[in-house]
Amino acid sequence: DQQVKQNSPSLSVQEGRISILNCDYTNSMFDYFLWYKKYPAEGPTFLISISSIKDKNEDGRFTVFLNKSAKHLSLHIVPSQPGDSAVYFCAASAKLGGTSYGKLTFGQGTILTVHP
Amino acid sequence: DAGVIQSPRHEVTEMGQEVTLRCKPISGHDYLFWYRQTMMRGLELLIYFNNNVPIDDSGMPEDRFSAKMPNASFSTLKIQPSEPRDSAVYFCASSAYPQGRAVNTIYFGEGSWLTVV
C-alpha cells in the first residue's frame, strides 16, 4: 500500500521556467511533509519541509504548497536551473502519541531534467 | 563532521550467497534507518532503530533479511540467502531527536549498490 505517491515518473523543463512536482498521500495521520533531492550515486539530501498547520513554505527558489483537504502537496522551483536536474522524493511523517515520530514514508520519486 | 558512512559501495554476488551491508551513523544521532530504493517502489523503509533498539521492522521483506545495531556507531543489514530480486540500492540514514522541532531531518549515506546474479 503506497501511502505517498508521486504519479509523474519524470518531468522535463526549460531553464528559467517553473518546475512543479506533485505528491499525493493517503494517510490522514501524516502531519509533516518533506522534499528530498537525489543526484546520481549520492544519497538523498533534505531540501524543504512543511508542517500541516501551514499551507505554504518558501525557501529561495523553492516553495512547497500543501492542500490538506486534497491530501496533495507540490514543490515549485522558480526559476529552474540545469543544476536542479535530479530525482525529487516527497516524504511524510506522522506523530505518534503527541511526540515526534522518526519514520519517514517516501514516494517513488520524480526525475526532473532542466534543459539549458 | 563525517556524514553517514556505508560499505561496501558496490557489491556483486551470486544468488544464494550471504550479503552484509554496513553503516556508521552520524555521531550523536539516536535514530538509524535502513531504506531500499527500487524503480517501482521508490524509497522503502525496511527497519529503523532508536537508541540501538529496533522499533519498526515491518518493512523487512522476509526472514532472509535481518538487521542489527550492536552499538550507537554501527549497524548491519544482512541478506541470507540473497536472490536476484534483492538487487537494489540500500541506504542507511540517521537522525537526531528533534528537540522541539516537528520532525527529524534524516541524513542519508551514499548507498550500497547490490547486484545479485
Side-chain angles (χ1 to χ4, degrees):
Chain A
D1 178 29
Q2 198 78 15
Q3 297 186 62
V4 178
K5 296 181 182 179
Q6 294 174 256
N7 292 317
S8 297
S10 62
L11 175 68
S12 184
V13 171
Q14 202 69 27
E15 181 179 7
R17 307 294 290 267
I18 185 171
S19 295
I20 300 176
L21 298 105
N22 294 303
C23 178
D24 297 295
Y25 61 95
T26 57
N27 188 342
S28 58
M29 297 298 291
F30 287 147
D31 64 352
Y32 205 83
F33 304 90
L34 306 89
W35 285 93
Y36 276 74
K37 177 178 177 179
K38 183 185 178 302
Y39 291 118
E42 295 184 9
T45 55
F46 171 74
L47 185 58
I48 191 170
S49 63
I50 187 168
S51 165
S52 61
I53 62 173
K54 295 185 175 182
D55 55 18
K56 177 183 174 181
N57 188 27
E58 192 171 350
D59 183 3
R61 296 185 297 113
F62 302 90
T63 303
V64 56
F65 295 91
L66 175 62
N67 182 334
K68 289 186 291 293
S69 60
K71 293 191 174 68
H72 176 84
L73 66 155
S74 61
L75 174 68
H76 292 210
I77 307 173
V78 183
S80 302
Q81 299 173 353
D84 297 329
S85 298
V87 179
Y88 289 79
F89 289 97
C90 171
S93 174
K95 281 193 175 181
L96 187 66
T99 61
S100 293
Y101 191 41
K103 170 180 172 179
L104 290 183
T105 301
F106 285 83
Q108 307 96 310
T110 297
I111 302 170
L112 173 65
T113 303
V114 180
H115 298 283
Chain B
D1 188 20
V4 176
I5 299 172
Q6 291 186 245
S7 65
R9 289 296 313 277
H10 299 272
E11 174 92 5
V12 180
T13 189
E14 291 185 348
M15 182 174 63
Q17 296 297 307
E18 177 180 292
V19 173
T20 299
L21 307 178
R22 297 172 177 79
C23 175
K24 180 179 181 349
I26 293 172
S27 177
H29 281 189
D30 51 358
Y31 284 91
L32 184 137
F33 307 83
W34 282 101
Y35 281 88
R36 177 172 68 177
Q37 183 189 7
T38 61
M39 289 296 293
M40 290 298 295
R41 300 180 66 84
L43 279 165
E44 297 177 272
L45 178 65
L46 300 177
I47 185 171
Y48 83 96
F49 297 82
N50 180 215
N51 292 320
N52 313 337
V53 176
I55 302 300
D56 183 351
D57 65 354
S58 59
M60 296 286 261
E62 48 199 273
D63 292 345
R64 298 184 297 107
F65 285 70
S66 63
K68 294 182 179 179
M69 191 166 186
N71 58 62
S73 59
F74 184 67
S75 176
T76 59
L77 177 68
K78 188 174 292 187
I79 308 172
Q80 167 63 21
S82 57
E83 297 181 1
R85 60 191 168 123
D86 301 329
S87 298
V89 185
Y90 291 81
F91 287 102
C92 178
S94 70
S95 68
Y97 191 77
Q99 297 295 341
R101 289 184 286 111
V103 74
N104 305 350
T105 295
I106 293 180
Y107 297 87
F108 285 82
E110 294 185 321
S112 292
W113 294 67
L114 174 65
T115 302
V116 182
V117 298

